[in-house]
Amino acid sequence: MNDKLAGKHNPWLLPDGVEELLPPAAEGLERLRQSCLQRCARWGYALIMPPAIEYLEALLSGVAHDLDLQTFKLTDQLSGRLMGVRADITPQAARIDAHQLRRDGPVRLCYSGTVLRTRPEGADGSRNPLQMGAELYGHAGIESDVEVITLMAELLAEAGVEALHIDLGHVGIFRGLSAAARLDADAEARLWDALQRKATADIAELLDALDVSASARGRLAALASLSGGPEVLAEARACLQGAGEAVDEALDALERIAEALAAALPDVTLHFDLGELRGYRYHTGVVFAAYTPGVSGELARGGRYDDIGAVFGRGRPATGFSADLKALYRVTSNGHDGREAAGAIAAPWHGDAALRRKINALRASGETVVWLLPGHEGEAAEMGCDRRLSSTTDGDWRVDPL
């Protein structure tokens, strides 16, 4: 009988795409989580802890509506209203900035928590990622974009990513070209889909069927091939000349961001893809994702999403990034289980006061001490111990090899 059929009768089997971490891997992931949050704190990002469940309209309001298909829904037994289990913490952070904090100046927030999704993102994706992210509200300039991208790169480097590649794009370019060509919502959506697939034949066929000028058609078609190093921006200037002020401003922003990142992150490879529109309906400006050679999926992603808090009463500029720490841990642990080099110390079950003082001192110094309960004295190694406490002739206790 296969596992899926057996799952009808075996309550210990987890649903597809849902996983749990066991010791010592869970310990390694927790160290990574704490390290990331501590780094964010040193940059001035304050920790928030939104609830795992909210009323559905709060989770899916405004630009977060694209999360609808990814959100598990249920009825609140107290109020009768629909609730949702969060599939992304970013909209919750925006609600906190707009409605709870209500500050006028820049606000920096970070978070870490499990999210739940109805389906995985990608073939190897999880339906219960451990999402960690940082968001910066209240500043519309490229300086805040540079800050969050630099922070993201620093966190990934601290996690153990050695060769970092950052892909950059800007949804304002496609928006500007679409507006100039006067595309309706349906045509824009179909063209967006073809661009994500880099389906040049489909792009050409779609553009031929639309009532747009030859110059507008050429600019839109060029997006699929405008991909590469910083030289792509100069190529885009030539290909998209005359596209309008919005496109020129987006290219200006990318050039300034690229210049700042080259100075701040000289060891990071920058790649530009002007046809990459991840989160197109969600983001409003620069979009970015982090990769490393040998790993197919992205390590982190983010972008600008101005006015996300408008549905909560305060539309503010916003930019940020997020990552699945479980996926990041799998990449950076390199097959190690996360156990510390030093094992634990086994202590006999004994009422001796000197023994208790010794154990307390060892634990206070950072050592792990495990009681050997009666009947289990021979299982110290199985409990992760590599040393033991032995009594001395003068009534004291010392640490010996196991």
Side-chain angles (χ1 to χ4, degrees), residues 256-276:
R256 293 171 59 204
I257 290 171
E259 181 180 355
L261 290 178
L265 305 170
D267 297 326
V268 172
T269 300
L270 299 181
H271 181 272
F272 297 84
D273 187 348
L274 304 193
E276 172 55 63

Side-chain angles (χ1 to χ4, degrees), residues 137-390:
Y137 301 96
H139 184 266
I142 64 102
E143 296 82 3
S144 48
D145 295 311
V146 172
E147 176 175 322
V148 298
I149 295 172
T150 307
L151 174 57
M152 176 189 73
E154 188 172 302
L155 293 183
L156 295 175
E158 184 167 296
V161 177
E162 296 179 355
L164 183 61
H165 295 241
I166 296 179
D167 276 12
L168 291 158
H170 199 298
V171 300
I173 296 174
F174 179 68
R175 290 186 193 277
L177 293 176
S178 297
R182 298 181 179 179
L183 300 183
D184 60 29
D186 179 66
E188 185 175 313
R190 286 186 290 142
L191 183 56
W192 172 84
D193 177 68
L195 280 169
Q196 300 322 287
R197 294 183 285 111
K198 295 290 191 285
T200 54
D202 290 350
I203 293 171
E205 181 179 353
L206 176 59
L207 290 174
D208 286 342
L210 296 175
D211 183 20
V212 297
S213 67
S215 58
R217 186 182 301 115
R219 295 185 191 109
L220 286 165
L223 287 181
S225 59
L226 289 174
S227 176
E231 69 280 355
V232 164
L233 298 181
E235 183 182 347
R237 288 284 189 191
C239 292
L240 306 180
Q241 188 175 9
E245 184 178 353
V247 174
D248 290 339
E249 289 178 352
L251 288 172
D252 288 343
L254 279 180
E255 287 178 346
R256 293 171 59 204
I257 290 171
E259 181 180 355
L261 290 178
L265 305 170
D267 297 326
V268 172
T269 300
L270 299 181
H271 181 272
F272 297 84
D273 187 348
L274 304 193
E276 172 55 63
L277 302 169
R278 67 177 67 85
Y280 169 64
R281 298 179 183 87
Y282 185 80
H283 291 293
T284 60
V286 64
V287 291
F288 52 86
Y291 298 88
T292 192
V295 178
S296 59
E298 61 194 22
L299 303 178
R301 64 183 175 188
R304 178 161 289 278
Y305 52 103
D306 293 340
D307 297 327
I308 185 175
V311 294
F312 303 112
R314 294 185 77 215
R316 299 231 293 163
T319 183
F321 73 90
S322 65
D324 176 6
L325 289 186
K326 286 197 293 187
L328 180 59
Y329 178 73
R330 285 194 294 268
V331 170
T332 57
S333 64
N334 295 318
H336 299 297
D337 59 14
R339 185 186 297 275
E340 297 283 5
I345 301 170
W349 184 260
H350 198 291
D352 183 76
L355 173 61
R356 293 188 179 275
R357 287 195 297 271
K358 182 68 172 181
I359 290 172
N360 290 339
L362 287 169
R363 287 174 175 164
S365 70
E367 292 281 6
T368 298
V369 184
V370 178
W371 287 108
L372 295 178
L373 298 173
H376 298 273
E377 292 83 357
E379 300 171 6
E382 184 178 339
M383 298 177 190
C385 300
D386 59 3
R387 291 158 292 162
R388 69 181 307 133
L389 281 170
S390 305

Side-chain angles (χ1 to χ4, degrees), residues 91-106:
Q92 296 183 294
R95 173 183 55 75
I96 288 173
D97 171 70
H99 187 66
Q100 302 291 91
L101 299 180
R102 301 188 64 82
R103 298 171 186 166
D104 293 328

